[in-house]
Amino acid sequence: MKAVLVTALSPDLSGVELAEVERPRGEVVVRMRAASLNYPDLLMTRGEYQFKPEPPFIAGLEMAGEVVEAAPGSGFAVGDRVRGGAKTGAFAEYVALPASALRHMPEGMDFPAAAAMGAAYHTAYVALVEIGGLQAGQTVLVHGASGGVGLAACDLARALGGRVIAATHREDKLEMLRAVARPDAAILNTGRFRENIARLTDGRLCDLVFDPVGGDVFDESTRCVTFGGKLLVIGFVSGRIPEIAVNIPLIKGFSVVGIRAGEYARRFPERGEHVARAIDTLASEGRIAPHVDCTLPLTSWREAFERMDCGDSVGKLVLEP
């Protein structure tokens, strides 16, 4: 089968290729019909993610497809439409996974949307609901809102009754962001954006700040959290890991909380299952839906990775076999 194989770690994808490899075996084997890119996929090709698999490995966190082999007692049958994944292996024509890493697709959802829903919405739900305690009527500032995880956070917060302020550093994305994320407001998060936040909230500021960007955005966000609020640290797409003097959250009365959604589910499996069921229910009810920027063939994996790296997309990038 064809697969996107990482043979060596490199800063420029020079250690990645589309290769012919052996079809995998496992408890459940799925014919991949769509696989979505996540930023960790890019970081793992460079050895810059907290999980560092040794090459060679097949890239890809998540996918959706049809079961072609299933062990007795797995809970799945040939022909089932499923979504799921692991830390690697999704960017291939066939993917072998334990039954625990798969879920049946929500009714009415197509393969690209199902592939795009897992990691992004799981991260958003753990951050905003499980850790953030989001309540209807609260104000949520979402940075990196045009990316897959950021859009999921906007979508979820809106579905649960939050007031959403979507933020991006790209002025050319604002119009599309307003159309796709449908936030209460969309802003540029460059420079001193705290004044804009204060104006939009009548000085109350934000109950939750969802930050996958880090760097200067994090620094200014410490001025945007209301007393008793939470600054949710998702990642550092900007490249700079910021620091904070602890007297700032003490004086301002807010919390800085790190979010590792996958680790949360591993440590608290009953909560992980609850999160997955909640996301499936919201999707089945039509209250949330991933936005897919574009789909590309597996042979165009490099284009997809490069588009993610330069941040030109709005929403998820999906590969199809």
Side-chain angles (χ1 to χ4, degrees):
M1 69 171 188
K2 292 182 174 63
V4 177
L5 189 68
V6 181
T7 58
L9 304 178
S10 64
D12 57 1
L13 299 174
S14 59
V16 187
E17 62 178 300
L18 187 67
E20 288 284 344
V21 299
E22 290 294 319
R23 179 169 154 173
R25 292 180 173 274
E27 186 177 12
V28 183
V29 179
V30 180
R31 179 192 174 200
M32 188 271 280
R33 295 290 301 275
S36 73
L37 267 71
N38 292 279
Y39 201 66
D41 295 323
L42 178 62
L43 293 180
M44 275 189 266
T45 69
R46 302 169 176 169
E48 295 176 356
Y49 192 55
Q50 53 257 36
F51 173 66
K52 295 178 170 60
E54 287 291 327
F57 64 90
I58 297 171
L61 283 170
E62 61 182 342
M63 56 86 225
E66 297 161 332
V67 174
V68 293
E69 297 176 24
S74 66
F76 294 97
V78 172
D80 283 354
R81 292 157 56 93
V82 296
R83 66 176 182 88
K87 294 176 181 178
T88 59
F91 299 163
E93 291 178 312
Y94 292 90
V95 183
L97 291 164
S100 59
L102 291 166
R103 300 188 69 81
H104 289 93
M105 284 172 47
E107 289 295 326
M109 183 169 281
D110 62 21
F111 287 114
M117 190 170 68
Y121 279 83
H122 184 84
T123 299
Y125 197 100
V126 169
L128 296 177
V129 182
E130 294 285 299
I131 305 299
L134 175 63
Q135 301 294 314
Q138 289 186 323
T139 298
V140 182
L141 171 60
V142 179
H143 293 300
S146 63
V149 174
L151 270 182
C154 291
D155 193 25
L156 182 64
R158 188 183 64 249
L160 298 178
R163 183 170 185 262
V164 179
I165 302 175
T168 177
H169 72 289
R170 294 268 298 263
E171 188 169 4
D172 61 329
K173 286 188 174 183
L174 279 174
E175 184 177 350
M176 178 66 77
L177 184 58
R178 291 187 183 102
V180 173
R182 293 178 289 143
D184 294 271
I187 67 165
L188 289 173
N189 55 5
T190 53
R192 294 293 187 177
F193 55 83
R194 191 260 188 200
E195 285 71 22
N196 201 0
I197 295 295
R199 178 182 59 81
L200 289 168
T201 61
D202 293 326
R204 189 181 179 281
L205 304 179
C206 302
D207 299 285
L208 299 173
V209 177
F210 183 94
D211 180 20
V213 179
D216 295 344
V217 165
F218 175 92
D219 295 342
E220 183 68 2
S221 290
T222 63
R223 305 175 65 233
C224 299
V225 193
T226 194
F227 194 91
K230 294 179 181 178
L231 203 171
L232 306 166
V233 179
I234 313 301
F236 314 105
V237 174
S238 70
R240 178 171 73 84
I241 299 175
E243 298 178 355
I244 185 171
V246 294
N247 67 310
I248 296 174
L250 185 151
I251 292 169
K252 293 180 172 289
F254 68 85
S255 303
V256 179
V257 189
I259 306 298
R260 291 186 63 194
E263 185 65 17
Y264 181 85
R266 283 186 287 275
R267 287 179 179 264
F268 310 109
E270 73 288 348
R271 296 309 302 167
E273 177 60 25
H274 168 79
V275 170
R277 286 199 309 267
I279 292 169
D280 284 347
T281 297
L282 289 166
S284 296
E285 293 173 351
R287 296 172 63 191
I288 59 172
H291 176 75
V292 175
D293 182 89
C294 71
T295 59
L296 296 165
L298 195 62
T299 53
S300 297
W301 65 268
R302 183 178 294 275
E303 179 185 346
F305 272 84
E306 289 173 347
R307 288 186 63 167
M308 170 164 281
D309 195 22
C310 67
D312 282 345
S313 58
V314 175
K316 298 284 280 186
L317 296 162
V318 171
L319 296 171
E320 295 179 325

